[in-house]
């Protein structure tokens, strides 16, 4: 019986793709660039972010975003400035929550402990949490861990700390996430059951968006298109 839901935040609860695209608009406007469309930009983000996080796991997330912004500019032959890069690096707090996230989390909070395992820093998540409508029982960020998902270190940290902090073992955890790359594949390596919030419709042939692709779709415990669907299924 699962007593604890562990969540990825960005892509699952927070609409990071809309946030990323919005935060890229000053760069595109300054360059008078109209040929770079959303799917291209998000694919560039996915490639550059995953590459940088693997190479420099200790780099704070705002500085990851600054560097990613500069690399996206270079990828598309655009001019950027340090001010534009820094603004993008500070954009996490402006990324919107999905419309169903807060209500679904409040519904789930009645039955489950709720835990965050996120690739951002503590300050960035604190800004996002104000949009999510609940207090989480534990929050573990890349800043706490010193590495970024999909590193095994992040899931080792999660399992160690939910046991120490909440008295919860792996068989009591259901990991809820959108990203196959960041979450489902490494979570399964650590024996966790996972539920896929398939916001992008990937299971039906959608686009990868801001997440790096995986070669083979893993066999998850269940697939829902939204947090609202998950809450309805678990609130029995």
């Amino acid at each position: 019986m699962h007593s604890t839901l562990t969540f990825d935040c960005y892509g699952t609860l927070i609409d990071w793709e809309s946030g990323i695209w919005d935060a890229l608009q000053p760069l595109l406007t300054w360059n008078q660039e109209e040929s770079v469309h959303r799917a291209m930009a998000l694919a560039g983000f996915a490639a550059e972010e995953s590459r940088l996080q693997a190479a420099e796991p200790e780099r704070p997330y705002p500085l990851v975003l600054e560097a990613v912004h500069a690399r996206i500019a270079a990828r598309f032959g655009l001019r950027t400035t340090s001010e534009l890069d820094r603004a993008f690096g500070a954009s996490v707090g402006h990324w919107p929550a999905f419309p169903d996230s807060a209500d679904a989390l409040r519904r789930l909070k009645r039955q489950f402990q709720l835990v965050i395992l996120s690739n951002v820093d503590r300050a960035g998540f604190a800004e996002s949490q104000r949009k999510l409508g609940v207090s989480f029982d534990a929050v573990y960020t890349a800043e706490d861990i010193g590495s970024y998902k999909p590193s095994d270190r992040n899931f080792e940290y999660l399992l160690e700390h939910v046991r120490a902090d909440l008295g919860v073992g792996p068989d009591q955890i259901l990991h809820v996430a959108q990203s196959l790359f960041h979450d489902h594949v490494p979570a399964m390596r650590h024996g966790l059951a996972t539920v896929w919030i398939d916001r992008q419709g990937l299971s039906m042939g959608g686009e990868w968006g801001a997440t790096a692709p995986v070669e083979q779709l893993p066999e998850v415990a269940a697939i829902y298109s939204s947090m609202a669907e998950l809450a309805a299924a678990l609130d029995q």
Side-chain angles (χ1 to χ4, degrees):
M1 177 68 69
H2 298 121
S3 65
T4 303
L5 304 179
T6 58
F7 289 91
D8 167 57
C9 183
Y10 299 90
T12 305
L13 306 175
I14 295 290
D15 184 2
W16 76 325
E17 291 187 349
S18 292
I20 291 163
W21 180 236
D22 288 348
L24 285 172
Q25 296 313 301
L27 175 70
L28 300 179
T29 299
W30 188 56
N31 282 271
Q32 298 183 328
E33 174 58 61
E34 298 180 355
S35 63
V36 176
H37 55 73
R38 176 175 165 132
M40 291 168 58
L42 294 178
F45 178 93
E48 300 296 350
E49 187 206 41
S50 60
R51 187 176 300 124
L52 187 59
Q53 287 176 332
E56 300 184 42
E58 73 290 344
R59 183 189 284 246
Y61 194 63
L63 298 185
V64 168
L65 289 180
E66 283 188 31
V68 167
H69 188 267
R71 292 182 182 192
I72 288 174
R75 171 183 282 252
F76 295 114
L78 305 177
R79 296 171 298 128
T80 188
T81 66
S82 58
E83 290 78 14
L84 286 170
D85 294 342
R86 282 196 297 271
F88 188 81
S91 66
V92 168
H94 301 294
W95 297 354
F98 286 106
D100 64 335
S101 292
D103 285 345
L105 288 169
R106 282 191 288 266
R107 190 172 178 182
L108 293 167
K109 181 73 171 175
R110 298 198 296 257
Q111 297 184 64
F112 301 96
Q113 296 185 103
L114 307 182
V115 174
I116 290 288
L117 180 66
S118 176
N119 265 2
V120 304
D121 61 329
R122 288 189 292 269
F125 178 74
E127 293 185 69
S128 298
Q129 182 164 0
R130 289 192 283 270
K131 300 178 175 72
L132 295 177
V134 299
S135 295
F136 291 89
D137 295 279
V139 175
Y140 308 124
T141 70
E143 181 179 4
D144 302 311
I145 301 166
S147 61
Y148 291 95
K149 297 179 290 183
S151 170
D152 286 330
R153 182 176 176 182
N154 294 67
F155 286 88
E156 291 164 359
Y157 186 101
L158 171 68
L159 293 175
E160 176 185 346
H161 281 75
V162 292
R163 185 179 291 281
D165 299 341
L166 304 176
V168 172
D171 59 333
Q172 297 170 277
I173 295 171
L174 185 62
H175 189 61
V176 181
Q178 172 268 322
S179 177
L180 301 177
F181 172 77
H182 295 100
D183 285 271
H184 289 277
V185 171
M188 289 180 180
R189 285 201 299 267
H190 289 82
L192 294 179
T194 71
V195 166
W196 186 9
I197 307 301
D198 186 15
R199 298 276 190 185
Q200 299 153 309
L202 269 176
S203 60
M204 298 177 288
E207 295 181 337
W208 288 94
T211 58
V214 299
E215 292 184 3
Q216 184 174 354
L217 299 186
E219 293 186 10
V220 299
I223 302 174
Y224 301 101
S225 65
S226 68
M227 282 292 298
E229 284 190 7
L230 171 69
L234 296 184
D235 189 10
Q236 302 295 331

